[in-house]
Amino acid sequence: MALVLKDRISETTTTTGTGTITLAGATSGFQAFSTIGNGNTTYYCITDGVAWEVGLGTYTSSGNTFARTTVYSNSNGNTSPITLGAGVKNVFATLPAD
C-alpha cells in the first residue's frame, strides 16, 4: 500500500452513513479514483455542498470503494467521519492544509 497523488480525480457517491463509500463514477472532465490503484491511499475531500470532510482514504477496486481511513478535519470541527445523508456527494483528491 502506497500513498499516491494524482491530479484531477473526482467522483460522486450516493452512500449514506459514516463508513466506506461506494464510488459512482468520475465527474465529467475528471479521472476516477481507480487511477490511484487498488489498496493505495490518497488524500481526499467529501462534501454534500454544506458538510465536508478531509482525510486520508484507501481505494479498493473490488466494489469500487473508498475507505475513509483517517479524518483530519471536517465541518463539525473534529476528526470523526461526517454522517452522509441522502443525495449525491462529491469526492475528490486534494492535499490537506495540515
Side-chain angles (χ1 to χ4, degrees), residues 1-2 11 16-17 25-26 29 32 36 43 49-51 53 56 68 79 81 85 87-88:
M1 173 165 51
E11 294 203 40
T16 59
I36 295 299
Y43 300 112
V50 177
E53 166 184 318
L56 178 71
R68 299 148 78 180
T79 57
V88 177

mmCIF file with all atom_site columns, all heavy atoms in Angstrom, residues 1-2 11 16-17 25-26 29 32 36 43 49-51 53 56 68 79 81 85 87-88:
data_model
loop_
_atom_site.group_PDB
_atom_site.id
_atom_site.type_symbol
_atom_site.label_atom_id
_atom_site.label_alt_id
_atom_site.label_comp_id
_atom_site.label_asym_id
_atom_site.label_entity_id
_atom_site.label_seq_id
_atom_site.pdbx_PDB_ins_code
_atom_site.Cartn_x
_atom_site.Cartn_y
_atom_site.Cartn_z
_atom_site.occupancy
_atom_site.B_iso_or_equiv
_atom_site.pdbx_formal_charge
_atom_site.auth_seq_id
_atom_site.auth_comp_id
_atom_site.auth_asym_id
_atom_site.auth_atom_id
_atom_site.pdbx_PDB_model_num
ATOM 1   N N   . MET A 1 1  ? 0.854   -1.169 0.000   1.00 0.00 ? 1  MET A N   1
ATOM 2   C CA  . MET A 1 1  ? 0.000   0.000  0.000   1.00 0.00 ? 1  MET A CA  1
ATOM 3   C C   . MET A 1 1  ? 0.904   1.238  0.000   1.00 0.00 ? 1  MET A C   1
ATOM 4   O O   . MET A 1 1  ? 1.759   1.398  0.842   1.00 0.00 ? 1  MET A O   1
ATOM 5   C CB  . MET A 1 1  ? -0.908  -0.031 1.220   1.00 0.00 ? 1  MET A CB  1
ATOM 6   C CG  . MET A 1 1  ? -1.705  1.228  1.395   1.00 0.00 ? 1  MET A CG  1
ATOM 7   S SD  . MET A 1 1  ? -3.101  1.145  2.529   1.00 0.00 ? 1  MET A SD  1
ATOM 8   C CE  . MET A 1 1  ? -2.450  0.457  4.001   1.00 0.00 ? 1  MET A CE  1
ATOM 9   N N   . ALA A 1 2  ? 0.662   2.112  -0.962  1.00 0.00 ? 2  ALA A N   1
ATOM 10  C CA  . ALA A 1 2  ? 1.472   3.319  -1.111  1.00 0.00 ? 2  ALA A CA  1
ATOM 11  C C   . ALA A 1 2  ? 0.571   4.548  -1.119  1.00 0.00 ? 2  ALA A C   1
ATOM 12  O O   . ALA A 1 2  ? -0.590  4.470  -1.513  1.00 0.00 ? 2  ALA A O   1
ATOM 13  C CB  . ALA A 1 2  ? 2.262   3.253  -2.413  1.00 0.00 ? 2  ALA A CB  1
ATOM 14  N N   . GLU A 1 11 ? -15.107 12.021 -8.155  1.00 0.00 ? 11 GLU A N   1
ATOM 15  C CA  . GLU A 1 11 ? -16.222 11.110 -8.401  1.00 0.00 ? 11 GLU A CA  1
ATOM 16  C C   . GLU A 1 11 ? -17.412 11.531 -7.547  1.00 0.00 ? 11 GLU A C   1
ATOM 17  O O   . GLU A 1 11 ? -17.298 12.391 -6.681  1.00 0.00 ? 11 GLU A O   1
ATOM 18  C CB  . GLU A 1 11 ? -15.847 9.661  -8.068  1.00 0.00 ? 11 GLU A CB  1
ATOM 19  C CG  . GLU A 1 11 ? -14.781 9.085  -8.964  1.00 0.00 ? 11 GLU A CG  1
ATOM 20  C CD  . GLU A 1 11 ? -14.803 7.571  -9.012  1.00 0.00 ? 11 GLU A CD  1
ATOM 21  O OE1 . GLU A 1 11 ? -15.908 6.970  -9.051  1.00 0.00 ? 11 GLU A OE1 1
ATOM 22  O OE2 . GLU A 1 11 ? -13.710 6.983  -9.029  1.00 0.00 ? 11 GLU A OE2 1
ATOM 23  N N   . THR A 1 16 ? -24.618 6.604  2.159   1.00 0.00 ? 16 THR A N   1
ATOM 24  C CA  . THR A 1 16 ? -25.030 7.306  3.376   1.00 0.00 ? 16 THR A CA  1
ATOM 25  C C   . THR A 1 16 ? -24.277 6.724  4.567   1.00 0.00 ? 16 THR A C   1
ATOM 26  O O   . THR A 1 16 ? -23.700 5.639  4.487   1.00 0.00 ? 16 THR A O   1
ATOM 27  C CB  . THR A 1 16 ? -26.549 7.175  3.609   1.00 0.00 ? 16 THR A CB  1
ATOM 28  O OG1 . THR A 1 16 ? -26.880 5.789  3.704   1.00 0.00 ? 16 THR A OG1 1
ATOM 29  C CG2 . THR A 1 16 ? -27.342 7.818  2.474   1.00 0.00 ? 16 THR A CG2 1
ATOM 30  N N   . GLY A 1 17 ? -24.269 7.485  5.664   1.00 0.00 ? 17 GLY A N   1
ATOM 31  C CA  . GLY A 1 17 ? -23.638 6.999  6.886   1.00 0.00 ? 17 GLY A CA  1
ATOM 32  C C   . GLY A 1 17 ? -22.213 7.485  7.062   1.00 0.00 ? 17 GLY A C   1
ATOM 33  O O   . GLY A 1 17 ? -21.798 8.475  6.461   1.00 0.00 ? 17 GLY A O   1
ATOM 34  N N   . GLY A 1 25 ? -18.594 6.796  -10.126 1.00 0.00 ? 25 GLY A N   1
ATOM 35  C CA  . GLY A 1 25 ? -18.044 7.169  -11.422 1.00 0.00 ? 25 GLY A CA  1
ATOM 36  C C   . GLY A 1 25 ? -17.467 8.564  -11.431 1.00 0.00 ? 25 GLY A C   1
ATOM 37  O O   . GLY A 1 25 ? -17.845 9.422  -10.634 1.00 0.00 ? 25 GLY A O   1
ATOM 38  N N   . ALA A 1 26 ? -16.548 8.771  -12.361 1.00 0.00 ? 26 ALA A N   1
ATOM 39  C CA  . ALA A 1 26 ? -15.835 10.049 -12.444 1.00 0.00 ? 26 ALA A CA  1
ATOM 40  C C   . ALA A 1 26 ? -16.772 11.176 -12.851 1.00 0.00 ? 26 ALA A C   1
ATOM 41  O O   . ALA A 1 26 ? -17.667 10.996 -13.677 1.00 0.00 ? 26 ALA A O   1
ATOM 42  C CB  . ALA A 1 26 ? -14.687 9.942  -13.435 1.00 0.00 ? 26 ALA A CB  1
ATOM 43  N N   . GLY A 1 29 ? -14.973 15.292 -17.072 1.00 0.00 ? 29 GLY A N   1
ATOM 44  C CA  . GLY A 1 29 ? -13.721 16.030 -17.193 1.00 0.00 ? 29 GLY A CA  1
ATOM 45  C C   . GLY A 1 29 ? -12.659 15.654 -16.176 1.00 0.00 ? 29 GLY A C   1
ATOM 46  O O   . GLY A 1 29 ? -11.577 16.244 -16.161 1.00 0.00 ? 29 GLY A O   1
ATOM 47  N N   . ALA A 1 32 ? -11.094 8.953  -12.520 1.00 0.00 ? 32 ALA A N   1
ATOM 48  C CA  . ALA A 1 32 ? -11.685 8.159  -11.452 1.00 0.00 ? 32 ALA A CA  1
ATOM 49  C C   . ALA A 1 32 ? -10.620 7.819  -10.397 1.00 0.00 ? 32 ALA A C   1
ATOM 50  O O   . ALA A 1 32 ? -9.428  7.854  -10.669 1.00 0.00 ? 32 ALA A O   1
ATOM 51  C CB  . ALA A 1 32 ? -12.264 6.871  -12.024 1.00 0.00 ? 32 ALA A CB  1
ATOM 52  N N   . ILE A 1 36 ? -5.643  5.711  -8.743  1.00 0.00 ? 36 ILE A N   1
ATOM 53  C CA  . ILE A 1 36 ? -4.822  5.621  -7.524  1.00 0.00 ? 36 ILE A CA  1
ATOM 54  C C   . ILE A 1 36 ? -4.242  4.215  -7.399  1.00 0.00 ? 36 ILE A C   1
ATOM 55  O O   . ILE A 1 36 ? -3.128  4.033  -6.934  1.00 0.00 ? 36 ILE A O   1
ATOM 56  C CB  . ILE A 1 36 ? -5.649  5.983  -6.275  1.00 0.00 ? 36 ILE A CB  1
ATOM 57  C CG1 . ILE A 1 36 ? -6.088  7.455  -6.333  1.00 0.00 ? 36 ILE A CG1 1
ATOM 58  C CG2 . ILE A 1 36 ? -4.904  5.680  -4.983  1.00 0.00 ? 36 ILE A CG2 1
ATOM 59  C CD1 . ILE A 1 36 ? -4.949  8.445  -6.361  1.00 0.00 ? 36 ILE A CD1 1
ATOM 60  N N   . TYR A 1 43 ? -5.098  11.429 -0.334  1.00 0.00 ? 43 TYR A N   1
ATOM 61  C CA  . TYR A 1 43 ? -5.833  12.439 0.418   1.00 0.00 ? 43 TYR A CA  1
ATOM 62  C C   . TYR A 1 43 ? -7.118  12.765 -0.332  1.00 0.00 ? 43 TYR A C   1
ATOM 63  O O   . TYR A 1 43 ? -7.146  12.760 -1.566  1.00 0.00 ? 43 TYR A O   1
ATOM 64  C CB  . TYR A 1 43 ? -4.992  13.702 0.580   1.00 0.00 ? 43 TYR A CB  1
ATOM 65  C CG  . TYR A 1 43 ? -3.695  13.463 1.311   1.00 0.00 ? 43 TYR A CG  1
ATOM 66  C CD1 . TYR A 1 43 ? -2.489  13.575 0.649   1.00 0.00 ? 43 TYR A CD1 1
ATOM 67  C CD2 . TYR A 1 43 ? -3.695  13.116 2.656   1.00 0.00 ? 43 TYR A CD2 1
ATOM 68  C CE1 . TYR A 1 43 ? -1.287  13.361 1.305   1.00 0.00 ? 43 TYR A CE1 1
ATOM 69  C CE2 . TYR A 1 43 ? -2.494  12.891 3.326   1.00 0.00 ? 43 TYR A CE2 1
ATOM 70  C CZ  . TYR A 1 43 ? -1.296  13.013 2.651   1.00 0.00 ? 43 TYR A CZ  1
ATOM 71  O OH  . TYR A 1 43 ? -0.130  12.792 3.309   1.00 0.00 ? 43 TYR A OH  1
ATOM 72  N N   . GLY A 1 49 ? -21.990 19.709 -0.320  1.00 0.00 ? 49 GLY A N   1
ATOM 73  C CA  . GLY A 1 49 ? -22.268 21.103 -0.648  1.00 0.00 ? 49 GLY A CA  1
ATOM 74  C C   . GLY A 1 49 ? -22.363 21.979 0.589   1.00 0.00 ? 49 GLY A C   1
ATOM 75  O O   . GLY A 1 49 ? -22.251 23.197 0.504   1.00 0.00 ? 49 GLY A O   1
ATOM 76  N N   . VAL A 1 50 ? -22.569 21.363 1.741   1.00 0.00 ? 50 VAL A N   1
ATOM 77  C CA  . VAL A 1 50 ? -22.624 22.085 3.021   1.00 0.00 ? 50 VAL A CA  1
ATOM 78  C C   . VAL A 1 50 ? -21.609 21.462 3.986   1.00 0.00 ? 50 VAL A C   1
ATOM 79  O O   . VAL A 1 50 ? -20.667 22.105 4.402   1.00 0.00 ? 50 VAL A O   1
ATOM 80  C CB  . VAL A 1 50 ? -24.044 22.067 3.623   1.00 0.00 ? 50 VAL A CB  1
ATOM 81  C CG1 . VAL A 1 50 ? -24.070 22.757 4.970   1.00 0.00 ? 50 VAL A CG1 1
ATOM 82  C CG2 . VAL A 1 50 ? -25.051 22.698 2.672   1.00 0.00 ? 50 VAL A CG2 1
ATOM 83  N N   . ALA A 1 51 ? -21.837 20.208 4.350   1.00 0.00 ? 51 ALA A N   1
ATOM 84  C CA  . ALA A 1 51 ? -20.913 19.496 5.232   1.00 0.00 ? 51 ALA A CA  1
ATOM 85  C C   . ALA A 1 51 ? -19.734 18.983 4.402   1.00 0.00 ? 51 ALA A C   1
ATOM 86  O O   . ALA A 1 51 ? -19.871 18.703 3.215   1.00 0.00 ? 51 ALA A O   1
ATOM 87  C CB  . ALA A 1 51 ? -21.621 18.328 5.908   1.00 0.00 ? 51 ALA A CB  1
ATOM 88  N N   . GLU A 1 53 ? -15.530 16.916 4.701   1.00 0.00 ? 53 GLU A N   1
ATOM 89  C CA  . GLU A 1 53 ? -14.548 16.145 5.453   1.00 0.00 ? 53 GLU A CA  1
ATOM 90  C C   . GLU A 1 53 ? -13.282 16.020 4.611   1.00 0.00 ? 53 GLU A C   1
ATOM 91  O O   . GLU A 1 53 ? -13.365 15.823 3.396   1.00 0.00 ? 53 GLU A O   1
ATOM 92  C CB  . GLU A 1 53 ? -15.152 14.764 5.717   1.00 0.00 ? 53 GLU A CB  1
ATOM 93  C CG  . GLU A 1 53 ? -14.236 13.692 6.188   1.00 0.00 ? 53 GLU A CG  1
ATOM 94  C CD  . GLU A 1 53 ? -14.981 12.363 6.292   1.00 0.00 ? 53 GLU A CD  1
ATOM 95  O OE1 . GLU A 1 53 ? -16.130 12.329 6.768   1.00 0.00 ? 53 GLU A OE1 1
ATOM 96  O OE2 . GLU A 1 53 ? -14.405 11.354 5.863   1.00 0.00 ? 53 GLU A OE2 1
ATOM 97  N N   . LEU A 1 56 ? -7.421  10.987 4.768   1.00 0.00 ? 56 LEU A N   1
ATOM 98  C CA  . LEU A 1 56 ? -6.638  10.024 4.014   1.00 0.00 ? 56 LEU A CA  1
ATOM 99  C C   . LEU A 1 56 ? -7.522  8.807  3.823   1.00 0.00 ? 56 LEU A C   1
ATOM 100 O O   . LEU A 1 56 ? -8.088  8.288  4.796   1.00 0.00 ? 56 LEU A O   1
ATOM 101 C CB  . LEU A 1 56 ? -5.376  9.636  4.789   1.00 0.00 ? 56 LEU A CB  1
ATOM 102 C CG  . LEU A 1 56 ? -4.475  8.599  4.139   1.00 0.00 ? 56 LEU A CG  1
ATOM 103 C CD1 . LEU A 1 56 ? -3.764  9.206  2.926   1.00 0.00 ? 56 LEU A CD1 1
ATOM 104 C CD2 . LEU A 1 56 ? -3.452  8.084  5.134   1.00 0.00 ? 56 LEU A CD2 1
ATOM 105 N N   . ARG A 1 68 ? -12.673 5.635  4.312   1.00 0.00 ? 68 ARG A N   1
ATOM 106 C CA  . ARG A 1 68 ? -12.278 6.885  4.955   1.00 0.00 ? 68 ARG A CA  1
ATOM 107 C C   . ARG A 1 68 ? -11.352 6.526  6.120   1.00 0.00 ? 68 ARG A C   1
ATOM 108 O O   . ARG A 1 68 ? -11.746 6.483  7.272   1.00 0.00 ? 68 ARG A O   1
ATOM 109 C CB  . ARG A 1 68 ? -13.530 7.615  5.403   1.00 0.00 ? 68 ARG A CB  1
ATOM 110 C CG  . ARG A 1 68 ? -14.430 7.941  4.211   1.00 0.00 ? 68 ARG A CG  1
ATOM 111 C CD  . ARG A 1 68 ? -15.888 7.944  4.561   1.00 0.00 ? 68 ARG A CD  1
ATOM 112 N NE  . ARG A 1 68 ? -16.304 9.158  5.243   1.00 0.00 ? 68 ARG A NE  1
ATOM 113 C CZ  . ARG A 1 68 ? -17.541 9.373  5.637   1.00 0.00 ? 68 ARG A CZ  1
ATOM 114 N NH1 . ARG A 1 68 ? -18.490 8.474  5.427   1.00 0.00 ? 68 ARG A NH1 1
ATOM 115 N NH2 . ARG A 1 68 ? -17.851 10.491 6.247   1.00 0.00 ? 68 ARG A NH2 1
ATOM 116 N N   . THR A 1 79 ? -12.420 15.272 14.218  1.00 0.00 ? 79 THR A N   1
ATOM 117 C CA  . THR A 1 79 ? -11.752 14.339 13.304  1.00 0.00 ? 79 THR A CA  1
ATOM 118 C C   . THR A 1 79 ? -12.530 13.033 13.148  1.00 0.00 ? 79 THR A C   1
ATOM 119 O O   . THR A 1 79 ? -11.947 11.979 12.899  1.00 0.00 ? 79 THR A O   1
ATOM 120 C CB  . THR A 1 79 ? -10.313 14.048 13.778  1.00 0.00 ? 79 THR A CB  1
ATOM 121 O OG1 . THR A 1 79 ? -10.364 13.533 15.119  1.00 0.00 ? 79 THR A OG1 1
ATOM 122 C CG2 . THR A 1 79 ? -9.446  15.292 13.722  1.00 0.00 ? 79 THR A CG2 1
ATOM 123 N N   . PRO A 1 81 ? -15.618 10.912 11.033  1.00 0.00 ? 81 PRO A N   1
ATOM 124 C CA  . PRO A 1 81 ? -16.280 10.973 9.731   1.00 0.00 ? 81 PRO A CA  1
ATOM 125 C C   . PRO A 1 81 ? -17.627 11.694 9.856   1.00 0.00 ? 81 PRO A C   1
ATOM 126 O O   . PRO A 1 81 ? -18.347 11.493 10.840  1.00 0.00 ? 81 PRO A O   1
ATOM 127 C CB  . PRO A 1 81 ? -16.498 9.507  9.357   1.00 0.00 ? 81 PRO A CB  1
ATOM 128 C CG  . PRO A 1 81 ? -15.543 8.732  10.194  1.00 0.00 ? 81 PRO A CG  1
ATOM 129 C CD  . PRO A 1 81 ? -15.378 9.529  11.458  1.00 0.00 ? 81 PRO A CD  1
ATOM 130 N N   . GLY A 1 85 ? -25.769 12.045 4.357   1.00 0.00 ? 85 GLY A N   1
ATOM 131 C CA  . GLY A 1 85 ? -27.199 11.860 4.188   1.00 0.00 ? 85 GLY A CA  1
ATOM 132 C C   . GLY A 1 85 ? -27.531 11.437 2.771   1.00 0.00 ? 85 GLY A C   1
ATOM 133 O O   . GLY A 1 85 ? -26.649 11.153 1.951   1.00 0.00 ? 85 GLY A O   1
ATOM 134 N N   . GLY A 1 87 ? -28.724 11.621 -1.137  1.00 0.00 ? 87 GLY A N   1
ATOM 135 C CA  . GLY A 1 87 ? -28.365 12.523 -2.223  1.00 0.00 ? 87 GLY A CA  1
ATOM 136 C C   . GLY A 1 87 ? -26.958 12.285 -2.726  1.00 0.00 ? 87 GLY A C   1
ATOM 137 O O   . GLY A 1 87 ? -26.215 11.449 -2.225  1.00 0.00 ? 87 GLY A O   1
ATOM 138 N N   . VAL A 1 88 ? -26.604 13.058 -3.728  1.00 0.00 ? 88 VAL A N   1
ATOM 139 C CA  . VAL A 1 88 ? -25.298 12.930 -4.375  1.00 0.00 ? 88 VAL A CA  1
ATOM 140 C C   . VAL A 1 88 ? -24.263 13.782 -3.648  1.00 0.00 ? 88 VAL A C   1
ATOM 141 O O   . VAL A 1 88 ? -24.515 14.947 -3.339  1.00 0.00 ? 88 VAL A O   1
ATOM 142 C CB  . VAL A 1 88 ? -25.383 13.349 -5.859  1.00 0.00 ? 88 VAL A CB  1
ATOM 143 C CG1 . VAL A 1 88 ? -24.019 13.289 -6.515  1.00 0.00 ? 88 VAL A CG1 1
ATOM 144 C CG2 . VAL A 1 88 ? -26.377 12.470 -6.602  1.00 0.00 ? 88 VAL A CG2 1
#
